[in-house]
Amino acid sequence: MSSPSVVDPRPGAAPDQTWDPASIRGDFPMLERTIRGRPIAYLDNAATALKPRSVIDEVVRYYQDVTANVARGVHTASQEATERFETVRHQVGMFLGSRPADEVVFTSGTTGAINLVAQSYGRAVLRPGDEVLVTEMEHHSNLVPWQLVAEQTGARVRAIPITGSGEVDLGWLERNRSDRTKIVAVCHVSNVLGTVVPVARVAALAHEMGAVCVVDGAQGVPHLRVDVGALGCDFYAFSAHKLFGPTGLGVLWGRQPLFERMPPWQGGGGMIARVEIEKSSFAPPPARFEAGTPPIAEVFGLGAVLDYLAALDRRAFEHEDRVVRYAEELLRAIPGVILHGAAPGRVGLVTFSVEGVHPHDVGTALDAGGVAVRAGHHCAQPLMARLGVTATVRASFAPYNTRREAEALAEGVEQAKRVFGQ
Amino acid sequence: MSSPSVVDPRPGAAPDQTWDPASIRGDFPMLERTIRGRPIAYLDNAATALKPRSVIDEVVRYYQDVTANVARGVHTASQEATERFETVRHQVGMFLGSRPADEVVFTSGTTGAINLVAQSYGRAVLRPGDEVLVTEMEHHSNLVPWQLVAEQTGARVRAIPITGSGEVDLGWLERNRSDRTKIVAVCHVSNVLGTVVPVARVAALAHEMGAVCVVDGAQGVPHLRVDVGALGCDFYAFSAHKLFGPTGLGVLWGRQPLFERMPPWQGGGGMIARVEIEKSSFAPPPARFEAGTPPIAEVFGLGAVLDYLAALDRRAFEHEDRVVRYAEELLRAIPGVILHGAAPGRVGLVTFSVEGVHPHDVGTALDAGGVAVRAGHHCAQPLMARLGVTATVRASFAPYNTRREAEALAEGVEQAKRVFGQ
Amino acid sequence: MSELDELYQSLILDHNRAPRNFRELPTSSGHAEGRNPLCGDTFNVWVQVKDGVVTDVSFLGQGCAISKASASMMTTIIKGKTVSEVRGLFDRFHQMVTGRAPTAEDEKKEARNALGCLSAFAGVSAFPIRVKCATLAWHALMKAVETAADGMPADARS
Amino acid sequence: MSELDELYQSLILDHNRAPRNFRELPTSSGHAEGRNPLCGDTFNVWVQVKDGVVTDVSFLGQGCAISKASASMMTTIIKGKTVSEVRGLFDRFHQMVTGRAPTAEDEKKEARNALGCLSAFAGVSAFPIRVKCATLAWHALMKAVETAADGMPADARS
Ligand SMILES: Cc1ncc(COP(=O)(O)O)c(C=O)c1O
Ligand SMILES: Cc1ncc(COP(=O)(O)O)c(C=O)c1O
């Protein structure tokens, strides 16, 4: 098992001191593969991130050495699995800013987590005429669940507009919030523009109206240190697979007093107190919200992710930032490339269009050079409409990405332009 | 990668011809571990089954070589992952009796699958006074979801009683079904009694009333060849982890015309056709029911399971049956042991009580001898009430289990009796 | 020739730049919309069918080079063909772009002859994810032809 | 002694077979129910608290040997103790069964003295899943004592 290189910055070292991604690239087996005969330049991290060896090993460990269901058996393997499972719950609490473990619910993903809040909290509190505010740049996973519960309850979904640079229009929020505002659901980081939403401000504005603030942190946790206490939000959701972890697992963090009052969403094993044919009573949170056998191997893997991140040199993220800025510079220098999003402090990605070349064709041209990006609407059709496009190209980064990969990206774009004779 | 031993039965070979589980035990790494210094006797397969090496390897392959999100990217890895993902969907269709792949929805588990049917189909069709019939021996996962939707719609959940031997009382069903009966939800195999429910009969009785038949196949697929066409049911749910596959993944099979008319349950990426802030339109099934990033590595693993099972000598299951009968015999011979369930043709497990010794204490005594069983209510509290107990001990089997392990079970029970001086 | 150049042959680039029959038909007997859920690209296809023969066809829409060129080339090649010939052509085209082209020498030749300039799309099979792009307009066409076949004026349908 | 025999010491087996104070108190100032979600086992605990001292305590319920013996032994040991002594005792007990007992020799000895016959449950730490069983009645007791502390008659509460 390889482990991340931990280099203590020397006292007084300059903050932009070089950190070499080569020190961790060996941890990620997927970086060894080739695409059409070339080394892969994986710039689709916002879709799903690559997994370090230690995470894969921990998933394997569950399947090889600790296979058992959790919270159900008196036998040793079940007990070991349960202990590990609950330890990771605790770790997740710490990761989100030292929160008690019973505020951590394991779900099937960010999408599952937001549907849970919508169907349990939302359905219980929303009345006809109430409003759920989202932003114009939400991922469908933080929009459609609210549309569904709005339809069920007679509430309405409205979008906080974004400014030309891709920032949330807080003035609009201040003017348009009212006592009908019950839920304000925003992303922490936009998966298209990289904008960091000022969650603390949004949450404060929501709370003044008695509304709760739900944060889609799918793109937050991979790039920012998250402290839900400091953010002041009420719910925070993320996916393990975008945080270098396994597929099939998400986290919903929620404030205990809210969880306590929320009805269950799904019914099944593990979430009950007492069951009779005609009625049942339910377990306290977090169990109340975890019906059925949970994603156990996946939780093991997430534990290894958190260990990996804890040991990772924080300069890795400064390096990531620099590579993103470098990619941006290179692309900006190419005539006909239009960059989307210009919010100060944006993180993790560059989204762009190439004049006269469809994003899919750019994507294919890049793929032919081994560069993996995402071309499409990024599950953010309302934002595409706002930007006046149907699709864009997005290159998204992680600490293991290199300046060389940013260059391969720019070369691929040049190549696409050449093919299309622009 | 080890693969299952495939021995073609010689023509005319006796059907009970010996098949040696040793021929596959090497495929299951977990069988190498020890419990308290003894080799593990894993008899908790109904809680979760052990995983063959080829399944673990396939999960690892996704994380090492094909990491990408599915159905979203134009790049090579995404394309490879998507192809494999859809191939497994097709494989699952074949596994369930050659059904078209668009009748296969991937979920988070059996529990997720049944909640999907309850909240999408059930919520749309149930009216006040309508009835959902389940059996008295359902797992909470095939009961509580119906209670929740019944409460939301004013419908009522009623239980078809079971007979003294643990069979579904079909006479009761015939007498009590009516045009208020909208859904009949039954397990294929009871997770406590091992009873095989005559699904074809139940489905026919349901259809005569215009009701649909939902089958909880969590304990069906590990022991029976399933052909949903022959069963005549409308929905069939199972969990990969109980079928020697990964955690975090389930399957909902459903008839295409029903799926076609069902509204989405969860909202999110991947299940939409067109999204605007105020409203969205949805993709056709199965995508409509798969919001968010699906459990991709898990689906890869399930593909390997189906390959493994296809290559597995069918005598393996006859062997399993014989070991179950042997365990039953050994236990029956111990004074003070009470066996629960006596339905002819029951499969996979033995559930019992030991007079004067609490099931947890039996479970701990067995664990001390390396024997892993489940002691508890098995998420079937109404059945426990019917049996007049709060908990039982369940030993559940798979083809890799041996006669020696059945003996270890009986010895452990004797040991528990000795400790408690019975 | 690199895989990329193979995919984007000059014929394709030409049709992408200057799509043929890129308009709505003034009168049509069939119309359908095709949508690529991956990228949100949409094409509208109109057909005029008379006595089982496609007498005119056109399209409009937004899309990538592959989908646009494929739509354009489709319109040029099917005009004057019978509906069943069009079906056969689509089958062959589909086989080619999914890499399931015939392997026997004579069948291969026959397929090449039948496909004509559509052979330019052979490179798509190296990029399976782009198959949807190459067949988007074709699927819409087949829908349009089916609605046309029932004899109702196109306007009476949604 | 095997781990199993260590867990089920004769004292535990004796209390399991013949639980002490296995009844409802005729009058009590506090009552609570404890439920083990794992197995559905339920215990009811009643306490009589006077001037901060537990003057009487009893229990009823179904459970495994560990939970029943633990409940029984608990009732015998806390009678006459002050509420804060009971709290301290539960802390020590909890530490022992979770395997977090003190390691320093003097503290160890002190703990052993304080726990008295409760030391019979030391073997539970080898079976962590059984910790819930060993502490079930204790948790109920603490709840009962808390409700008792507010001075309202038990019947006035749910
Ligand atoms: C009969 C039956 N139904 C449903 C389930 C629930 O399956 P899961 O927990 O994988 O969702 C189980 C197993 O726990 C079961 O045995
Ligand atoms: C901002 C954002 N929210 C939500 C999601 C949905 O996450 P998942 O598909 O893992 O449920 C994603 C990623 O797809 C995302 O980028």
Side-chain angles (χ1 to χ4, degrees):
Chain A
M1 194 180 91
S2 51
S3 67
S5 133
V6 187
V7 188
D8 274 317
R10 274 163 304 149
D16 63 351
Q17 172 192 351
T18 321
W19 173 89
D20 191 350
S23 64
I24 62 162
R25 286 181 67 87
D27 298 341
F28 294 83
M30 176 79 181
L31 290 174
E32 284 154 36
R33 82 161 274 179
T34 56
I35 300 291
R36 298 174 190 274
R38 294 163 188 252
I40 191 170
Y42 189 78
L43 302 181
D44 196 18
N45 292 284
T48 200
L50 304 184
K51 326 301 174 193
R53 164 73 48 213
S54 63
V55 170
I56 304 172
D57 286 347
E58 184 62 8
V59 169
V60 169
R61 189 174 76 85
Y62 169 74
Y63 288 131
Q64 287 196 168
D65 300 335
V66 205
T67 306
N69 214 317
V70 292
R72 305 194 179 185
V74 298
H75 64 82
T76 298
S78 168
Q79 182 171 295
E80 287 173 10
T82 305
E83 263 169 46
R84 172 70 174 152
F85 189 85
E86 294 304 328
T87 300
V88 176
R89 194 192 296 284
H90 184 79
Q91 270 184 287
V92 172
M94 304 277 287
F95 175 71
L96 294 174
S98 253
R99 310 301 305 190
D102 61 0
E103 296 192 330
V104 173
V105 169
F106 291 118
T107 69
S108 58
T110 303
T111 303
I114 295 172
N115 278 277
L116 195 173
V117 181
Q119 289 296 317
S120 171
Y121 183 84
R123 190 122 66 101
V125 306
L126 291 172
R127 299 281 169 271
D130 281 348
E131 290 184 351
V132 178
L133 303 184
V134 298
T135 80
E136 219 176 355
M137 61 185 169
E138 291 314 311
H139 188 282
H140 296 161
S141 288
N142 197 26
L143 170 56
V144 182
W146 304 114
Q147 293 178 336
L148 294 176
V149 69
E151 202 185 298
Q152 289 156 2
T153 57
R156 189 179 158 207
V157 176
R158 292 177 71 193
I160 311 171
I162 57 165
T163 65
S165 63
E167 291 170 273
V168 177
D169 185 344
L170 290 175
W172 188 97
L173 175 57
E174 266 184 274
R175 288 188 306 278
N176 287 275
R177 68 195 170 138
S178 73
D179 52 14
R180 290 179 313 184
T181 312
K182 290 295 170 343
I183 295 166
V184 182
V186 299
C187 56
H188 195 179
V189 171
S190 158
N191 69 313
V192 178
L193 302 177
T195 310
V196 180
V197 172
V199 170
R201 281 291 294 142
V202 171
L205 290 170
H207 290 158
E208 281 170 24
M209 293 292 112
V212 297
C213 176
V214 181
V215 179
D216 167 358
Q219 303 295 345
V221 287
H223 305 290
L224 304 172
R225 246 187 224 281
V226 173
D227 177 342
V228 287
L231 290 176
C233 58
D234 302 286
F235 297 98
Y236 193 98
F238 72 88
S239 296
H241 75 94
K242 294 185 197 276
L243 189 68
F244 318 104
T247 54
L249 172 63
V251 164
L252 175 65
W253 171 85
R255 288 191 191 283
Q256 214 270 338
L258 289 173
F259 269 165
E260 203 61 66
R261 279 156 33 208
M262 281 159 56
W265 173 40
Q266 299 193 41
M271 50 71 78
I272 57 94
R274 197 177 306 228
V275 176
E276 293 164 40
I277 291 292
E278 297 267 340
K279 61 177 185 321
S280 299
S281 57
F282 304 109
R288 187 186 301 161
F289 304 110
E290 294 179 351
T293 302
I296 308 171
E298 294 79 357
V299 167
F300 272 56
L302 180 58
V305 168
L306 299 183
D307 290 342
Y308 187 86
L309 289 175
L312 185 64
D313 190 327
R314 294 305 294 182
R315 288 175 308 164
F317 292 95
E318 294 162 18
H319 159 79
E320 179 194 295
D321 272 346
R322 279 194 303 271
V323 174
V324 175
R325 292 290 88 79
Y326 181 54
E328 212 169 75
E329 261 171 53
L330 293 173
L331 289 171
R332 202 188 303 279
I334 303 175
V337 168
I338 300 147
L339 295 171
H340 301 291
R346 63 198 181 284
V347 294
L349 53 86
V350 195
T351 291
F352 60 97
S353 303
V354 182
E355 256 169 18
V357 189
H358 189 280
H360 271 189
D361 296 317
V362 178
T364 295
L366 288 166
D367 185 50
V371 181
V373 298
R374 173 114 183 256
H377 57 56
H378 315 292
C379 298
Q381 289 186 357
L383 176 58
M384 294 298 112
R386 166 75 173 77
L387 297 175
V389 297
T390 55
T392 67
V393 183
R394 176 186 72 190
S396 54
F397 296 80
Y400 40 71
N401 288 126
T402 62
R403 288 171 62 88
R404 179 65 207 107
E405 290 172 328
E407 287 157 7
L409 168 68
E411 285 156 19
V413 171
E414 298 273 18
Q415 171 81 345
K417 284 187 60 187
R418 179 192 64 70
V419 167
F420 287 91
Q422 308 284 320
Chain B
M1 195 181 91
S2 50
S3 67
S5 134
V6 187
V7 188
D8 274 316
R10 275 162 303 148
D16 64 350
Q17 171 193 353
T18 321
W19 173 88
D20 191 350
S23 65
I24 63 162
R25 287 180 66 87
D27 298 340
F28 294 83
M30 176 79 181
L31 291 174
E32 284 153 35
R33 81 161 277 177
T34 55
I35 300 291
R36 298 175 191 276
R38 294 162 189 253
I40 190 170
Y42 188 77
L43 302 181
D44 197 17
N45 292 285
T48 201
L50 305 183
K51 325 302 174 194
R53 162 72 50 214
S54 63
V55 170
I56 305 172
D57 285 347
E58 184 62 7
V59 169
V60 168
R61 189 175 76 85
Y62 169 75
Y63 288 131
Q64 285 196 168
D65 300 334
V66 205
T67 306
N69 214 318
V70 292
R72 304 195 180 185
V74 297
H75 63 83
T76 299
S78 168
Q79 183 172 295
E80 288 173 10
T82 305
E83 264 168 48
R84 171 73 174 150
F85 189 84
E86 293 303 328
T87 300
V88 177
R89 194 193 297 281
H90 184 78
Q91 271 184 286
V92 172
M94 304 276 287
F95 175 71
L96 294 175
S98 253
R99 310 301 303 190
D102 60 359
E103 296 192 331
V104 172
V105 169
F106 291 119
T107 69
S108 58
T110 303
T111 304
I114 296 173
N115 278 276
L116 195 173
V117 181
Q119 289 296 317
S120 172
Y121 183 84
R123 189 121 67 99
V125 307
L126 291 172
R127 300 280 169 269
D130 282 347
E131 290 184 352
V132 178
L133 303 185
V134 298
T135 81
E136 220 177 357
M137 61 186 169
E138 291 312 312
H139 188 282
H140 296 162
S141 288
N142 197 26
L143 170 57
V144 182
W146 303 114
Q147 293 178 336
L148 295 175
V149 70
E151 202 185 300
Q152 288 156 2
T153 57
R156 189 176 159 211
V157 177
R158 293 177 71 194
I160 311 170
I162 57 163
T163 65
S165 63
E167 291 170 272
V168 178
D169 186 343
L170 290 175
W172 187 98
L173 175 57
E174 267 185 273
R175 288 189 305 279
N176 287 274
R177 68 194 170 137
S178 73
D179 52 13
R180 291 179 314 185
T181 312
K182 291 298 174 333
I183 295 166
V184 182
V186 299
C187 55
H188 195 179
V189 171
S190 158
N191 70 312
V192 178
L193 304 177
T195 309
V196 180
V197 172
V199 170
R201 278 293 293 143
V202 171
L205 291 170
H207 289 158
E208 281 171 23
M209 292 293 111
V212 297
C213 176
V214 180
V215 179
D216 167 358
Q219 302 296 344
V221 287
H223 304 290
L224 304 173
R225 244 188 226 281
V226 174
D227 177 342
V228 287
L231 290 176
C233 58
D234 301 285
F235 297 99
Y236 193 98
F238 72 87
S239 295
H241 75 94
K242 293 186 197 275
L243 189 69
F244 317 105
T247 54
L249 172 64
V251 164
L252 175 65
W253 171 84
R255 287 190 191 282
Q256 214 270 338
L258 290 172
F259 269 166
E260 204 61 66
R261 279 155 35 206
M262 283 160 55
W265 173 39
Q266 298 194 40
M271 50 70 77
I272 57 93
R274 199 178 302 230
V275 176
E276 292 164 37
I277 291 294
E278 297 268 339
K279 61 175 187 321
S280 300
S281 58
F282 304 109
R288 187 186 301 159
F289 305 110
E290 293 179 350
T293 302
I296 308 171
E298 294 79 357
V299 167
F300 273 56
L302 179 58
V305 168
L306 299 184
D307 290 341
Y308 187 87
L309 290 175
L312 185 64
D313 191 328
R314 293 306 293 183
R315 290 176 306 165
F317 292 95
E318 294 162 18
H319 159 79
E320 179 194 297
D321 272 346
R322 280 194 301 273
V323 175
V324 174
R325 294 289 89 78
Y326 182 54
E328 212 170 75
E329 262 172 51
L330 293 173
L331 290 171
R332 201 188 302 280
I334 302 173
V337 169
I338 300 147
L339 295 171
H340 301 291
R346 62 198 181 284
V347 294
L349 52 85
V350 195
T351 291
F352 61 97
S353 302
V354 182
E355 255 168 20
V357 189
H358 190 280
H360 271 190
D361 295 317
V362 178
T364 294
L366 287 166
D367 185 51
V371 182
V373 297
R374 175 115 183 255
H377 56 58
H378 315 291
C379 299
Q381 287 185 359
L383 176 58
M384 294 297 112
R386 166 73 172 79
L387 298 175
V389 297
T390 54
T392 67
V393 183
R394 176 186 72 190
S396 54
F397 296 79
Y400 40 72
N401 287 127
T402 63
R403 288 171 64 87
R404 179 64 209 108
E405 289 172 330
E407 288 156 7
L409 168 67
E411 285 156 20
V413 171
E414 298 273 18
Q415 171 81 344
K417 284 187 60 187
R418 180 193 63 70
V419 167
F420 288 91
Q422 307 286 320
Chain C
M1 198 157 54
S2 79
E3 277 179 333
L4 195 60
D5 293 318
E6 169 90 32
L7 177 66
Y8 295 111
Q9 295 195 4
S10 55
L11 191 59
I12 292 180
L13 295 175
D14 176 55
H15 275 267
N16 176 45
R17 235 176 268 119
R20 323 297 198 263
N21 302 303
F22 196 63
R23 58 192 163 94
E24 187 172 340
L25 287 189
T27 59
S28 71
S29 53
H31 162 249
E33 188 188 87
R35 197 175 156 83
N36 189 341
L38 199 63
C39 52
D41 286 346
T42 309
F43 283 95
N44 279 281
V45 174
W46 291 268
V47 282
Q48 183 71 357
V49 181
K50 227 178 136 178
D51 302 331
V53 173
V54 177
T55 57
D56 205 358
V57 54
S58 73
F59 84 106
L60 274 178
Q62 272 276 348
C64 61
I66 302 297
S67 58
K68 206 171 191 178
S70 172
S72 170
M73 240 184 273
M74 174 188 85
T75 61
T76 62
I77 207 163
I78 67 166
K79 227 180 275 183
K81 291 214 158 48
T82 67
V83 167
S84 83
E85 281 169 343
V86 169
R87 274 207 191 92
L89 201 60
F90 180 34
D91 278 353
R92 282 188 200 279
F93 182 71
H94 199 266
Q95 274 173 13
M96 176 185 68
V97 295
T98 52
R100 292 178 296 113
T103 46
E105 257 326 302
D106 47 345
E107 287 176 44
K108 238 192 207 161
K109 201 160 160 190
E110 193 199 317
R112 229 181 354 247
N113 285 343
L115 285 165
C117 67
L118 293 180
S119 304
F121 289 93
V124 169
S125 66
F127 297 85
I129 200 92
R130 306 302 301 276
V131 168
K132 276 205 185 102
C133 309
T135 57
L136 186 55
W138 281 94
H139 282 292
L141 172 74
M142 297 322 294
K143 256 203 287 175
V145 163
E146 266 161 42
T147 59
D150 68 13
M152 281 161 50
D155 294 344
R157 295 168 229 112
S158 81
Chain D
M1 197 158 52
S2 79
E3 277 179 334
L4 195 62
D5 294 318
E6 169 89 33
L7 177 65
Y8 296 110
Q9 295 197 4
S10 56
L11 192 59
I12 291 180
L13 294 175
D14 175 55
H15 275 265
N16 176 44
R17 235 176 267 119
R20 324 296 198 263
N21 301 302
F22 195 65
R23 60 193 162 92
E24 187 172 339
L25 288 189
T27 60
S28 71
S29 53
H31 161 249
E33 186 187 88
R35 195 175 158 83
N36 188 343
L38 199 62
C39 52
D41 286 346
T42 309
F43 283 95
N44 279 281
V45 174
W46 292 267
V47 282
Q48 183 70 358
V49 182
K50 228 179 133 178
D51 302 332
V53 173
V54 176
T55 57
D56 206 356
V57 53
S58 72
F59 84 106
L60 274 178
Q62 272 277 349
C64 61
I66 302 299
S67 58
K68 205 170 191 179
S70 171
S72 171
M73 239 185 272
M74 173 188 87
T75 61
T76 62
I77 206 163
I78 66 166
K79 227 180 275 186
K81 290 213 158 48
T82 67
V83 167
S84 84
E85 281 169 342
V86 169
R87 274 209 190 88
L89 202 58
F90 180 35
D91 277 354
R92 283 189 199 278
F93 181 71
H94 199 265
Q95 275 173 12
M96 176 184 67
V97 294
T98 52
R100 292 178 297 111
T103 46
E105 256 327 303
D106 47 345
E107 287 177 44
K108 239 192 206 162
K109 200 159 161 193
E110 195 197 317
R112 228 178 359 245
N113 285 343
L115 284 164
C117 65
L118 294 180
S119 304
F121 289 94
V124 169
S125 66
F127 296 85
I129 200 92
R130 306 302 301 274
V131 167
K132 277 206 184 101
C133 310
T135 57
L136 186 57
W138 280 94
H139 282 292
L141 172 75
M142 298 322 294
K143 257 203 286 176
V145 163
E146 266 161 41
T147 59
D150 68 14
M152 280 160 52
D155 294 345
R157 293 167 230 113
S158 81

